[in-house]
C-alpha cells in the first residue's frame, strides 16, 4: 500500500492536478476526477488503483493528445510513449493508447524506419542507424529497413565535391575528405569508391 503525499494543481492546465505518491510524482489527473474519487493527501492507496482510475477516465483524452502529436509527422512507438509519460499518463493508459494506435496503423515502427531511410539524404547506413536508435525505433524494424537500403555512391560523390571545392586535391585533403564521409555514416567501401573519382586512393586512409 502506498500513500498519496500531495495533490497539486498543474501550472499549465488548471483543470488538472499532479498526484504525488510516497513523495514522488506519479501521474496527472483531472481535478474533477480527483474530487469524484475523493483522492487526498495522506490517503492510503494501491498504485494499481490510480492506474485504473486514470485508464477509466482519461484514456480518450490521452488518445486525442497522441493523435494530435502524430498529426505533423510520423512517430515511433517510443516517441509516443515518452510524450504521454511526460504528460503524466500512467503505463496502463500509455499501453492502451499504443495498442489502439498500432491496431489502426497510426504507429508502425517498420513503416517509420523504411520511410526515414528513404527520405533522409546525405547520410550513410551507420548514421541512419544511429538516428533511428536515438528515435527509439524497434531494433528489428531498424535492421529490416537498413537491409533494404543501399548507400548511394553518387550522393557520396556529391558530398565530396562540396567538401573539396576550392581545396587542393592532395593526399592530406583527400584523407580528410575520406574521414568526412565516414563521419556522415558512409561505409568504408562506399567512401573509398567515391574518393577514387577525386584522386589516387592507393594509400590506406
Amino acid at each position: 500500500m502506498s500513500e498519496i503525499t500531495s495533490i497539486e494543481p498543474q501550472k499549465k492546465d488548471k483543470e488538472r492536478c499532479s498526484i504525488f505518491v510516497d513523495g514522488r510524482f506519479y501521474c496527472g489527473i483531472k481535478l474533477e476526477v480527483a474530487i469524484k474519487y475523493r483522492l487526498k493527501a495522506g490517503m492510503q492507496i494501491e498504485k494499481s488503483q490510480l492506474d485504473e482510475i486514470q485508464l477509466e477516465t482519461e484514456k480518450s483524452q490521452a488518445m486525442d493528445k497522441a493523435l494530435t502529436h502524430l498529426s505533423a509527422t510520423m512517430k515511433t512507438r517510443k516517441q509516443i510513449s515518452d510524450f504521454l509519460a511526460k504528460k503524466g499518463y500512467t503505463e496502463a493508459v500509455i499501453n492502451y493508447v499504443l495498442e489502439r494506435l498500432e491496431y489502426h496503423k497510426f504507429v508502425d515502427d517498420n513503416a517509420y524506419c523504411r520511410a526515414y531511410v528513404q527520405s533522409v539524404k546525405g547520410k550513410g547506413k551507420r548514421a541512419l542507424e544511429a538516428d533511428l536508435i536515438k528515435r527509439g525505433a524497434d531494433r528489428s524494424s531498424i535492421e529490416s529497413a537498413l537491409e533494404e537500403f543501399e548507400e548511394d555512391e553518387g550522393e557520396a560523390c556529391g558530398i565530396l565535391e562540396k567538401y573539396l571545392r576550392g581545396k587542393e586535391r592532395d593526399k592530406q585533403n583527400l584523407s580528410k575528405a575520406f574521414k568526412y564521409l565516414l563521419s556522415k555514416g558512409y561505409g568504408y567501401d562506399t567512401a573509398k569508391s567515391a574518393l577514387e573519382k577525386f584522386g589516387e586512393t592507393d594509400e590506406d586512409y
Side-chain angles (χ1 to χ4, degrees), residues 25-165:
F25 172 76
Y26 186 71
C27 68
I29 209 163
K30 290 182 179 179
L31 281 171
E32 62 185 59
V33 172
I35 294 170
K36 175 182 177 181
Y37 287 91
R38 300 181 180 179
L39 303 178
K40 60 183 179 179
M43 180 179 180
Q44 298 294 310
I45 192 169
E46 293 288 352
K47 290 181 180 178
S48 60
Q49 187 178 348
L50 285 173
D51 292 350
E52 291 173 4
I53 290 172
Q54 194 189 63
L55 180 60
E56 177 189 345
T57 61
E58 303 207 347
K59 61 186 180 184
S60 294
Q61 185 183 52
M63 178 67 76
D64 289 343
K65 287 183 182 296
L67 288 171
T68 300
H69 191 51
L70 279 165
S71 63
T73 59
M74 293 175 67
K75 301 289 189 305
T76 65
R77 178 185 174 91
K78 178 70 162 51
Q79 286 173 325
I80 291 297
S81 178
D82 289 347
F83 170 76
L84 291 176
K86 287 180 180 178
K87 294 292 184 183
Y89 291 106
T90 64
E91 185 176 347
V93 173
I94 293 171
N95 288 339
Y96 167 83
V97 171
L98 288 172
E99 182 182 331
R100 301 309 300 164
L101 291 176
E102 287 181 325
Y103 178 80
H104 292 289
K105 300 297 182 183
F106 289 121
V107 171
D108 183 335
D109 276 14
N110 279 313
Y112 180 95
C113 291
R114 289 196 302 270
Y116 188 83
V117 299
Q118 291 170 7
S119 63
V120 174
K121 304 299 180 184
K123 289 187 177 183
K125 185 173 288 189
R126 288 186 297 106
L128 292 171
E129 180 181 18
D131 286 349
L132 289 170
I133 290 174
K134 185 177 180 180
R135 286 163 171 75
D138 175 75
R139 188 72 208 186
S140 63
S141 298
I142 296 174
E143 292 174 356
S144 178
L146 291 177
E147 281 179 4
E148 303 172 6
F149 175 77
E150 292 186 10
E151 291 183 335
D152 189 336
E153 187 179 314
E155 188 177 83
C157 286
I159 292 172
L160 277 181
E161 185 176 3
K162 289 182 180 179
Y163 181 84
L164 291 168
R165 191 171 295 159

